[in-house]
Amino acid sequence: QVQLVESGGGSVQRGGSLRLSCARSGHTTRDYCMGWFRQVPGKAREGVAGIQTSSGTTVYADSVKGRFTISHDDVEYMFFLQMNSLEPEDTGMYYCAVRSLCRDPDLWKYAYNYWSQGTQVTVSS
């Protein structure tokens, strides 16, 4: 069983930056992917960024390309989402998630097995 605990959310103004962290514990398969998702009330949860931890291959939603960076630290079992040039449209609850037996990262939420509790990110104009 995998547990995910994230931190780092908060409130910033447009153009600001935040860094989300996600700590993983528990056993998973060697080939696994990690993703960041976000959701606002009344809308479906959407994928933001994903990474395959063995190859380092990444994938990003078009809306965040060039602004967000996903990374991981395998030694500490930590994952990060660096968010720069934040816009009000980035506001939402952010979740980290793990997908077992994954060789190519994607942003299809239904493929992910384990989820964090979520952290709120609010960007004001």
Side-chain angles (χ1 to χ4, degrees):
Q1 188 75 10
V2 173
Q3 291 81 42
L4 301 170
V5 178
E6 65 177 308
S7 58
S11 297
V12 296
Q13 291 190 326
R14 168 181 274 152
S17 298
L18 283 174
R19 188 191 196 207
L20 303 182
S21 300
C22 180
R24 177 182 72 83
S25 61
H27 176 72
T28 185
T29 57
R30 178 179 178 179
D31 290 325
Y32 72 99
C33 295
M34 185 271 170
W36 288 97
F37 295 77
R38 67 186 179 192
Q39 188 170 20
V40 297
K43 291 190 176 181
R45 188 170 299 185
E46 64 173 354
V48 174
I51 186 168
Q52 206 286 341
T53 55
S54 297
S55 66
T57 303
T58 58
V59 61
Y60 294 93
D62 288 342
S63 59
V64 306
K65 282 181 181 176
R67 301 188 298 121
F68 290 13
T69 302
I70 187 172
S71 62
H72 73 106
D73 181 344
D74 248 3
V75 176
E76 299 294 334
Y77 301 117
M78 294 289 296
F79 304 90
F80 308 97
L81 184 67
Q82 178 66 44
M83 305 185 292
N84 299 328
S85 302
L86 283 161
E87 296 287 341
E89 293 74 26
D90 296 316
T91 294
M93 187 71 76
Y94 281 69
Y95 302 86
C96 59
V98 163
R99 175 183 173 183
S100 302
L101 296 173
C102 171
R103 294 188 176 181
D104 295 298
D106 59 50
L107 301 179
W108 193 52
K109 60 187 177 184
Y110 299 106
Y112 285 76
N113 313 97
Y114 305 99
W115 292 85
S116 67
Q117 79 284 359
T119 188
Q120 179 67 34
V121 171
T122 302
V123 185
S124 60
S125 56

